[in-house]
Every structure is written in structure tokens, then in C-alpha cells.
Amino acid sequence: MNAISRLATAVSLAYLLPLTALAGEVEVLHWWTSGGEKRAVDTLQKLIEDQGHTWKDFAVAGGGGEAAMTVLKTRAVSGNPPAAAQIKGPDIQEWGELGLLADLDDVAKQQQWDTLLPPQVIEVMQFGGHYVAVPVNVHRVNWLWINPEVFAKAGATAPTTLDEFFVAADKLKAAGFMPLAHGGQPWQDSTVFEDLAFAVLGPEDFSKAFVDLDESVLTSAKMVEVFAALQKLHGYVDANAAGRDWNSATAMVINGKAGMQIMGDWAKSEWTAAGKVAGKDYQCLPFPGTQGSFAYNIDSLAMFKLSDAENRKAQEDLARTIMAPEFQQFFNQSKGSIPVRTDMDMSSFDACAQQSMLDFKEAAASGGLQPSLAHGMAASSYVQGAVFDVVTNFFNDPEADPKKAAQQLAAAIQAVQ
Ligand code: GAL
């Protein structure tokens, strides 16, 4: 090796060394395993790898994340949590109390999270006044997805009220379509229940019921009405719904077998992945009776304390990357959600996302912005689990009494508080 090439090698090594020294590994636990959601996660993985870090994917299949949370607890108990995990809402406080979460204040300060995020979001991401989680997006739960071609064939019109919803369902049924594509899993049953509750109770009583856990609202005549509507709706679900994944249900609407799906806007990730255009190939309607209101579900990655300096660096870079506009745009365009930053230009987003952002801002100003119960934003996972049990048992029993169900709901919530 001559002097020049020795120098060149030394220079390139010197250039490489600090880079490798700063490159760490991030293990990220999530449950974004559907085709569309996987595309969204891939954008994050790429942005992390572009910075020289290693991405260790810790995906645990199962919509709604129950299975992922069980696996996370096992890992944490054995003293080996991942660097980051999708933990949401009030649960972040519980993990914070265990003393396991890392402080992200330096990154937050550098990127000015305090000015970029809505106050409702900041509160959820902090424990004891320190940022311990980074918000990824804002999902809206109160959506109805429809296939307009199927609607046209059945002579049905897009519903704006619950009564119109059932009229449309009857038309679809009469024309030989599956009216409502649904997956019989507890979190999906409760997603439907929650949307019905939002429509029947309105945002104020919805909040009293599921945030304040107010017994008088939980057992009210309106809540009985919610259960009665849920029972009626069961008549439009096919016999093979049990256990079906949400994305398989979405596929049934995409391929024209079914007319509608009640689901949060992660369902849009499947439409997008299938190359379908919002407002043309499919329509997103605020769930009938909830126009102007917004049930939010904010995905967030909570960060666990790490001892290795390089991995810690990678973890901070992960948080920084997630809040950067580039990620907020690309990820959310694939995921179906809207950016959590309030300063984003929405012109490159589709019609549903633009509508969602407008409604989010409007609902925030009017009191219509409410946390999703079915997706762990309104109450603890214990309350959520109690609601899932009552709702799913009721949904699967055609003889069940709506009045009794409302009583059971209040009792089950009371028991876990
Ligand atoms: C939600 C989660 C969404 C989506 C959905 C289906 O709880 O917040 O991002 O993954 O479950 O699994």
C-alpha cells in the first residue's frame, strides 16, 4: 500500500469510525402487521436505517394490540423491554409509575414539541412533567367506509343518521350484498359499540360515560338505546364474522362483496395499499350521527430506559425522526391517520385525511373531540377490558336484554376501579 492509499484508507476509516460509534440498535414493538400498515412501518424503518442504525422489528400480530401488550409485559418483567413500544393513552402513566420509561426532554426541547403538539397530546405523552413517549399520528375512530359502486348497485344512499344507516343496510341486504363487513373480535365489537355510543349519547355524555365513568350515564335510557342499536346491527353481520381480522373485513368492502365497514381510519391503509382513491373508489363518512365530532386514537411510542449509549442515541434519533415533517407525511399517508403536528401542509394528503384534519381542529374547539375508549385513550386497560367483555357477550347473544347490558356495563366498570 503506498502512502497515498494508506492516507485514503486512514481518512475513510476516520470518517467511518464516529459514524459506527454512534450507530445503535432500536427494537420497536408494534402491531402494525396488515399489508397497508406494514407499508407505513417500512417508511420508519428506512428512515432509521438511513441514519446508520439497526432496526429490530418486534411486530406482534393482533389488531387493537392486546396480544402485543401481553408480550410486552412478559419482556418487561424479565428485565428486557424493547427500546420503544406502542403504548397509548392512560397506560403510559402506568408504565411511567413503574420507573421504566426514558426521558425524552432533550429531543422535545430541541424540536419544540411544546409548540408543535396540541395540549391534549402533550399531557398524554408526559409522565411527571417529562416527555416519555413520542406521538406518531392521530387516528379517527368514528368513520364509516363505503363502497360507492356497491351502494349504486343496491340503490342505497350514503347514510348521515343511524336511521339512514339501517335503511342503507336493508337495501344492501335485499340486493344480495353483505351489508356490513365485520370481524368478531372484542376490540372490533367495541369499536362499533363506541361509534354507536358517540352517535346516540353525543360527545358530552360520551365523555361522562367513558372518561368520568359516571354510573348514571352508563345505566341511562340512552345507553340502553346504544345496546339496542348494537343488537339490531348484528342482524347485518354475516355468520362467519367470528375471529375475522379487521383488514379481512376491509378487503370485503374493497372487493365489492360488502357495502360498509365501521372502523377507524387505519382501514384506509388497506384501501391505499390496494391503489384505491379516496372519494372515488371509496368514501369515508363520519359515522352517522357523529358529524363534527372526533373520537381520537393517538398512536405513540413510549421509550424504555436503556444503558447502552449507542442504543440510547438510536432511541433519541427514533423519537426525533417520528416528529420530523418528512416522517409525519409519508407514514401517515400510508397509515390512514393524520399528522400529530398541527403545522403540517395537508395539500398532498387525500380527501379523507384533509377532512379528518379539519374535523379534528373544529371538534377541538367545540368540545366534540373525545378520546376513544375501544383504543385505550379514554380509560385504563382494566376499564377497557371490562367494557370489551360486556359488549362482546351482549353482541354474541341475540336474546340479550339491552337494559340488563347497560347495568352490567356499569357494574363491570365499577368492579375494576
Ligand atoms: C389500534 C391502533 C391502530 C391500528 C389498530 C388496528 O389500536 O392504534 O394503529 O393498528 O389498532 O390494529
Side-chain angles (χ1 to χ4, degrees), residues 20 297 308 382:
T20 23
N297 170 24
D308 182 284
Y382 305 105

Side-chain angles (χ1 to χ4, degrees), residues 69 87-94 124 194 206-214 218 296-297 370-388 409 412-414 416-417:
M69 286 302 104
I87 303 176
K88 300 188 297 179
D91 270 5
I92 294 174
Q93 302 305 311
E94 288 188 22
V124 178
E194 162 174 317
F206 180 88
S207 171
K208 281 191 192 149
F210 300 125
V211 180
D212 305 340
L213 310 176
D214 180 326
L218 287 167
Y296 65 86
N297 170 24
Q370 295 298 331
S372 163
L373 171 85
H375 294 277
M377 302 304 299
S380 72
S381 51
Y382 305 105
V383 170
Q384 187 194 24
V387 174
F388 282 12
L409 183 71
I413 290 177
Q414 174 72 33
V416 293
Q417 277 189 79

Side-chain angles (χ1 to χ4, degrees), residues 51-251:
Q51 295 170 62
H53 300 304
T54 305
W55 171 277
K56 198 167 169 196
D57 201 42
F58 188 2
V60 180
E66 252 181 298
M69 286 302 104
T70 307
V71 174
L72 177 63
K73 282 176 196 149
T74 315
R75 279 280 300 266
V77 164
S78 64
N80 180 29
Q86 143 98 325
I87 303 176
K88 300 188 297 179
D91 270 5
I92 294 174
Q93 302 305 311
E94 288 188 22
W95 285 95
E97 269 152 32
L98 294 174
L100 295 175
L101 299 184
D103 188 322
L104 294 171
D105 283 351
D106 284 350
V107 182
K109 210 164 172 189
Q110 205 182 40
Q111 281 182 316
Q112 300 182 310
W113 294 8
D114 282 352
T115 56
L116 290 174
L117 296 172
Q120 295 93 334
V121 179
I122 294 178
E123 204 186 309
V124 178
M125 299 304 137
Q126 292 188 338
F127 174 74
H130 302 283
Y131 282 99
V132 292
V134 56
V136 172
N137 60 6
V138 180
H139 273 302
R140 184 187 199 177
V141 181
N142 56 314
W143 282 120
L144 177 70
W145 305 91
I146 71 173
N147 182 323
E149 209 181 296
V150 172
F151 263 60
K153 282 186 194 153
T157 38
T160 58
T161 63
L162 275 185
D163 287 345
E164 286 175 15
F165 170 85
F166 286 114
V167 170
D170 279 331
K171 292 222 162 131
L172 292 164
K173 200 174 186 173
F177 293 103
M178 184 191 294
L180 190 65
H182 179 69
Q185 296 174 344
W187 74 271
Q188 293 189 62
D189 298 342
S190 279
T191 297
V192 171
F193 167 77
E194 162 174 317
D195 282 346
L196 290 169
F198 209 24
V200 174
L201 299 174
E204 204 177 313
D205 275 354
F206 180 88
S207 171
K208 281 191 192 149
F210 300 125
V211 180
D212 305 340
L213 310 176
D214 180 326
E215 200 188 329
S216 65
V217 181
L218 287 167
T219 56
S220 65
K222 288 265 175 214
M223 192 60 86
V224 177
E225 218 180 285
V226 175
F227 278 105
L230 184 64
Q231 195 159 50
K232 184 166 178 191
L233 188 140
H234 192 263
Y236 299 93
V237 169
D238 70 310
N240 298 321
R244 179 185 290 140
D245 287 328
W246 65 268
N247 49 312
S248 305
T250 309

